[in-house]
């Protein structure tokens, strides 16, 4: 064997060894989908990777570590360096925090387009475009304008005819326009445990919202939020404007919401409350449906 053949053989062996170590470190998976476990870390330590490299790998990867007392003792007995064990404990704690605050927790380590990952509190549209998941947060619009109708007719009939109060949103269309129906939404709530025992009222469920269809005007979208006559008043959205939806609870503070039937072209919104809010405006999470483009 000449010197050139020897060098080539040495180079090939080095490449094969590096590939084998990388495969072990990745758990025989792809870098984009791998989830590091205790076994992966032990494998990397036994392969001779430097502690600093393993710590960086832990901090930049998805993890699913078991850090109970017995497992920590086993890691120590397997001669895993203390700095690596500390990194594993930190990663495990961060994952637990994100999981327990799904509605409004630490979202820096999660996939923003995965509905089961942590998200900031709010309402999100879920779509699959070309096989890829996409989540879009609905920004609420606030009605600073209310319209009152039927006052004259009510006066003429001594209060028998109803007076209506309407919330009006500026613009003919919502910024978010959806081209498929029925759309799928996910609700994430900050207050996940507030209930009958709470001294303060919180919104904790999509059931406290109403899905409404607006009446389209020339440059506004309107919805009736109150009607009254001499015999009493009724607040909230009127039945003819409301659209039913199904609610599926996925976890603490996390709900999947789907309209019970296809929504036709038009302007819609999720509305919570029985009238004008304390700030003088009505908050509505609005969107439009445009199936025929």
């Amino acid at each position: 064997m000449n010197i050139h053949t020897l060098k080539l053989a040495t180079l090939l062996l080095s490449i094969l060894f590096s590939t084998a170590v990388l495969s072990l470190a990745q758990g025989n998976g792809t870098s984009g989908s791998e989830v590091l476990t205790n076994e992966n870390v032990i494998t990397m330590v036994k392969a001779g990777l430097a502690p600093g490299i393993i710590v960086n790998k832990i901090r930049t990867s998805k993890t699913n570590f078991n850090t109970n007392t017995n497992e920590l003792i086993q890691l120590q007995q397997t001669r895993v360096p203390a700095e690596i064990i500390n990194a594993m404990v930190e990663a495990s704690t961060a994952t637990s925090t994100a999981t327990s605050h799904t509605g409004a927790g630490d979202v820096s380590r999660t996939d923003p387009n995965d509905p089961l990952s942590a998200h900031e509190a709010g309402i999100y549209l879920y779509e699959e475009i070309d096989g890829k998941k996409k989540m879009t947060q609905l920004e609420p619009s606030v009605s600073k304008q209310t319209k009152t109708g039927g006052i004259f007719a009510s006066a003429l009939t001594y209060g028998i005819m109803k007076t209506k109060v309407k919330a009006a949103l500026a613009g003919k269309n919502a910024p978010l326009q959806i081209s498929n129906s029925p759309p799928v939404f996910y609700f994430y709530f900050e207050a996940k445990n507030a209930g009958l025992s709470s001294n303060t009222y919180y919104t904790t469920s999509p059931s406290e919202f109403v899905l409404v269809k607006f009446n389209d005007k020339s440059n506004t979208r309107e919805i009736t939020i109150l009607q009254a006559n001499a015999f009493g008043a009724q607040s909230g959205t009127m039945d003819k404007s409301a659209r039913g939806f199904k609610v599926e609870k996925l976890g603490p503070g996390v709900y999947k919401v789907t309209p019970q039937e296809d929504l036709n072209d038009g302007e819609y919104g999720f509305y919570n409350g029985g009238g004008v809010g304390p700030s003088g405006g009505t908050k509505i999470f609005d969107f439009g449906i445009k199936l025929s483009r």
Side-chain angles (χ1 to χ4, degrees), residues 46-67:
K46 290 182 177 180
L49 291 178
I53 294 176
I54 299 176
V55 169
N56 286 334
K57 182 68 176 174
I58 291 172
R59 290 175 177 171
T60 57
S61 301
K62 293 182 180 179
T63 61
N64 184 23
F65 294 132
N66 185 345
T67 55

Side-chain angles (χ1 to χ4, degrees), residues 9 14 25 32 48 54 63 66 68-69 105 155 182-184 191 200 202 205 209 218 236 253 280:
S14 177
I54 299 176
T63 61
N66 185 345
N68 63 37
T69 303
V184 177
T200 306
Y202 296 97
S205 168
F209 286 78
S218 59

Side-chain angles (χ1 to χ4, degrees), residues 28-94:
N28 295 322
T30 61
S31 59
S33 61
E34 69 170 327
V35 178
L36 292 185
T37 63
N38 293 31
E39 290 72 21
N40 295 134
V41 171
I42 293 173
T43 300
M44 287 189 285
V45 171
K46 290 182 177 180
L49 291 178
I53 294 176
I54 299 176
V55 169
N56 286 334
K57 182 68 176 174
I58 291 172
R59 290 175 177 171
T60 57
S61 301
K62 293 182 180 179
T63 61
N64 184 23
F65 294 132
N66 185 345
T67 55
N68 63 37
T69 303
N70 290 334
E71 290 295 329
L72 292 178
I73 293 174
Q74 183 178 351
L75 289 170
Q76 178 68 29
Q77 292 174 344
T78 316
R79 299 184 182 279
V80 176
E83 60 186 294
I84 296 177
I85 296 176
N86 284 335
M88 294 173 67
V89 173
E90 290 176 1
S92 180
T93 302

Side-chain angles (χ1 to χ4, degrees), residues 191-234:
K192 297 183 274 295
N193 298 315
L196 295 177
S197 60
S198 175
N199 294 325
T200 306
Y201 175 77
Y202 296 97
T203 302
T204 59
S205 168
S207 300
E208 299 174 51
F209 286 78
V210 180
L211 175 58
V212 298
K213 184 175 184 180
F214 290 99
N215 295 318
D216 298 334
K217 301 299 180 180
S218 59
N219 198 34
T220 60
R221 294 156 286 152
E222 298 180 358
I223 189 71
T224 300
I225 60 175
L226 175 69
Q227 59 182 13
N229 60 12
F231 303 102
Q234 178 185 359

